Amino acid sequence: MATPASPKQQFLDTYEREHTTTMRLLRVYPTGKLDLRPHPKCKTARELAWVFVLERGVGTKAYNKEFATAAPSGSPPPPPQSWNDLLAALEKAHKEFGDLVRSASDQELSEPVQ
């Protein structure tokens, strides 16, 4: 009987699978439609892709407990104008956050945030 995957491995498996799906979609998204807003309450493709980059940074800051010591910084930085630069930033942020999780022990990941 196979040993069930740890919560950390389950997260990493899902993280990689969802990233692959997201990148497949973003790579074929028509660059002429990056600023299309399908509804006034919706984000554009450019804004949404940038959210993916920022949320990985938030995950890293939360893990490193940076929010407990940092003053609020206001608005997040704007996305790169180039779609290829934005996708590269997403790939970089994805790798860095994934590496952080992979390098952490199961115990470190299960400790309550204080």
Side-chain angles (χ1 to χ4, degrees), residues 43-62:
K43 293 193 177 306
T44 66
R46 182 186 314 276
E47 292 168 337
L48 185 58
W50 190 237
V51 166
F52 299 153
V53 175
L54 296 176
E55 71 186 6
R56 282 152 176 83
V58 168
T60 299
K61 286 182 181 214

Side-chain angles (χ1 to χ4, degrees), residues 13-24 56 94:
D13 291 346
T14 301
Y15 181 70
E16 293 302 331
R17 184 178 59 249
E18 292 299 322
H19 178 71
T20 299
T21 300
T22 299
M23 291 307 295
R24 189 175 331 133
R56 282 152 176 83
H94 172 80

Side-chain angles (χ1 to χ4, degrees), residues 14 21 23 31 41 48 53 65 68-69 79 82 90 97 103 111:
T14 301
T21 300
M23 291 307 295
T31 56
K41 291 185 178 184
L48 185 58
V53 175
K65 299 178 175 97
T69 59
S82 160
L90 179 52
F97 184 69
S103 70
E111 290 174 356

Side-chain angles (χ1 to χ4, degrees), residues 67-107:
F67 291 117
T69 59
S73 62
S75 299
Q81 285 302 305
S82 160
W83 186 239
N84 288 335
D85 289 348
L86 198 155
L87 295 183
L90 179 52
E91 289 285 13
K92 181 178 184 281
H94 172 80
K95 181 183 180 326
E96 289 172 353
F97 184 69
D99 288 349
L100 176 71
V101 173
R102 278 185 279 283
S103 70
S105 70
D106 288 337
Q107 181 178 350

